[in-house]
Amino acid sequence: MHELGIVFYIIRDVKKAAEENGVKHVSAVVMNIGEVSTVIPEYLDDCWRWAADKEEILKGAQLKVNRLEAVSYCEDCGQEYETVRYGKTCPHCGSGRTYLLRGNEVEIKEIEVS
Amino acid sequence: MEEVKIIEIKKSVFGENLRDAEELRSELKEKGIFLLNLMSSPGSGKTTTLIKTLSLLKDRLRIAVMEADIDSDVDARKIREATGIESIQLHTGGMCHLDAEMTRQGLENLPLEGVDLVILENVGNLVCPAEFDTGSCTNAMILSVPEGHDKPLKYPLMFSVCDTVIINKTDVLEYFDFDMEKCREYVHMRNPRAHIIPVSAKTGEGIPELADWIYKLVTNWKNDSSYA
Ligand SMILES: Nc1nc2c(ncn2[C@@H]2O[C@H](COP(=O)(O)OP(=O)(O)OP(=O)(O)O)[C@@H](O)[C@H]2O)c(=O)[nH]1
Ligand SMILES: [Mg+2]
Ligand SMILES: [Zn+2]
């Protein structure tokens, strides 16, 4: 499953950041996940629970997800629009010459320590 | 209540892999080894297509193959027995994709002396492998006729990262309502530059064109000093 692979990357990066900051235990990891990234937050959470509890430094740590809206840009009229609602076609002018500006992030925003 | 301390990280989960991939790509450029990453759904015909195509290419290029299977070495053995081409099995440790680090480890287990082309048969899956750059010099994918012509709409990322889209199992076209023109249109919506090649690994139709295309990718890359 895709999300498990992602969780292993998150754990690797978080452990590294914790080490660099002299942190002994992480209580939460905050993620930014774009609406059109291929990651499904609910699956991610299941994988997280299973994998994080195997790591001493992450025992019981929560995974918090900020969902980021996806926005596309139209090259023909120069306007932005909601990607999920309108897809590849610009709702302002009907052009298909559009591209994604943001919304496919899978990013560790911060970690919480207590 | 205990105070919560926040440490900002702001780092893409894919960032480290991207760096590893860029590094591997420039090493491959230095050594003159072209790495082709082949992706698809399970059973779309990666192994069969490779056997047919590599048989036509093996006198023109020195080739080696890496097979990523979750748990067996069936495909690696098939390739070796059918073509005589050096082929190894990569262990993905149950992972749904290969990343650049796993690819590098695989390459270390191949005798690469004089090799021009390494093919990586990725894990059968249209989602995860698309997300992880393996360090390959080009990405190709196989879509087989029974899967339907609307796959580019459902798996946009896979189609947008592939330079070559092979449409396999054209021998069964008459039994499916697979619309080749629609398929081309959908693929080009995701990637206008994608090169599409219809083949049947069973009858051999289109296989010479595919072999020539791969040969061209390898030689263009070798001659182009800016392509790194
Ligand atoms: N009719 C037809 N069958 C094909 C063709 N190519 C492959 N097959 C059959 O499809 C099945 C799967 O082929 P493989 O080559 O093993 O597919 P694969 O993508 O390597 O499969 P995995 O490695 O398991 O993901 C086999 O039964 C093949 O004989 C084709 O062009 N036409
Ligand atoms: Mg196979
Ligand atoms: Zn517009």
Side-chain angles (χ1 to χ4, degrees):
Chain A
M1 192 205 294
H2 190 46
E3 280 70 13
L4 187 56
I6 304 274
V7 160
F8 287 136
Y9 287 98
I10 299 174
I11 288 176
R12 180 196 60 192
D13 288 352
V14 167
K15 278 168 77 176
K16 204 166 139 205
E19 212 168 280
E20 282 165 11
N21 289 279
V23 169
K24 296 271 174 304
H25 187 258
V26 173
S27 55
V29 175
V30 185
M31 301 287 301
N32 283 334
I33 296 186
E35 277 181 319
V36 299
S37 78
T38 57
V39 175
I40 301 168
E42 294 73 45
Y43 292 170
L44 195 65
D45 204 52
D46 291 342
C47 297
W48 173 258
R49 208 47 299 133
W50 179 82
D53 286 344
K54 293 194 178 341
E55 302 283 341
E56 208 45 54
I57 194 168
L58 290 168
K59 269 223 165 70
Q62 228 190 316
L63 189 74
K64 299 180 180 173
V65 172
N66 290 330
R67 210 62 172 135
L68 303 184
E69 192 194 41
V71 176
S72 288
Y73 175 81
C74 173
E75 289 188 337
D76 281 326
C77 72
Q79 297 191 71
E80 296 178 5
Y81 65 90
E82 288 168 57
T83 312
V84 170
R85 181 142 175 223
Y86 301 105
K88 286 285 289 173
T89 310
C90 173
H92 306 293
C93 75
S95 166
R97 298 207 313 140
T98 60
Y99 60 85
L100 189 71
L101 278 182
R102 54 181 182 274
N104 61 358
E105 300 81 356
V106 182
E107 175 182 275
I108 304 170
K109 180 169 181 279
E110 59 203 23
I111 57 179
E112 296 177 6
V113 182
S114 63
Chain B
M1 218 178 101
E2 256 185 295
E3 199 171 313
V4 177
K5 190 175 142 211
I6 289 176
I7 300 172
E8 177 161 286
I9 298 189
K10 201 89 174 119
K11 191 171 155 197
S12 166
V13 169
F14 307 116
E16 195 148 321
N17 184 57
L18 273 180
R19 273 190 301 279
D20 292 348
E22 287 306 336
E23 209 178 286
L24 180 56
R25 231 186 320 276
S26 51
E27 283 173 31
L28 288 169
K29 183 72 205 181
E30 250 163 57
K31 294 180 182 149
I33 298 167
F34 188 80
L35 176 65
L36 183 150
N37 172 28
L38 180 62
M39 300 175 279
S40 83
S41 307
S44 67
K46 294 180 293 298
T47 306
T48 316
T49 305
L50 281 179
I51 288 174
K52 288 281 170 84
T53 312
L54 299 186
S55 301
L56 295 185
L57 275 176
K58 68 179 177 187
D59 296 329
R60 288 192 267 171
L61 296 170
R62 277 285 294 275
I63 306 169
V65 175
M66 300 196 284
E67 291 284 336
D69 256 322
I70 293 196
D71 202 29
S72 76
D73 67 347
V74 177
D75 284 351
R77 201 168 330 147
K78 260 193 213 161
I79 300 255
R80 219 179 300 129
E81 281 166 10
T83 64
I85 289 170
E86 187 67 43
S87 177
I88 57 164
Q89 156 80 37
L90 291 187
H91 294 282
T92 60
M95 290 280 258
C96 54
H97 64 276
L98 284 173
D99 62 17
E101 188 48 41
M102 293 186 256
T103 305
R104 174 196 297 283
Q105 287 167 14
L107 287 167
E108 280 166 6
N109 290 313
L110 270 177
L112 290 176
E113 198 51 34
V115 165
D116 309 293
L117 169 65
V118 176
I119 308 256
L120 170 62
E121 178 176 329
N122 213 312
V123 181
N125 180 328
L126 290 182
V127 181
C128 320
E131 196 101 67
F132 294 92
D133 193 333
T134 57
S136 65
C137 312
T138 193
N139 292 324
M141 66 93 58
I142 298 183
L143 171 63
S144 64
V145 166
E147 294 171 70
H149 60 256
D150 55 358
K151 280 284 178 295
L153 300 181
K154 295 179 182 163
Y155 300 92
L157 187 63
M158 172 57 76
F159 288 85
S160 67
V161 300
C162 283
D163 309 306
T164 308
V165 175
I166 301 157
I167 299 179
N168 186 32
K169 309 197 186 180
T170 53
D171 57 290
V172 299
L173 267 172
E174 61 175 308
Y175 306 108
F176 294 88
D177 45 13
F178 186 97
D179 186 331
M180 190 65 81
E181 277 322 299
K182 274 253 156 4
C183 187
R184 284 179 185 278
E185 184 189 325
Y186 295 157
V187 169
H188 285 140
M189 269 166 64
R190 298 309 174 201
N191 179 4
R193 282 183 300 274
H195 186 75
I196 300 172
I197 308 181
V199 305
S200 166
K202 186 174 176 170
T203 67
E205 197 188 352
I207 296 291
E209 287 80 2
L210 176 58
D212 288 344
W213 171 250
I214 294 174
Y215 184 76
K216 205 169 105 189
L217 285 178
V218 177
T219 47
N220 285 354
W221 177 84
K222 284 209 177 200
N223 296 333
D224 183 354
S225 53
S226 66
Y227 193 155

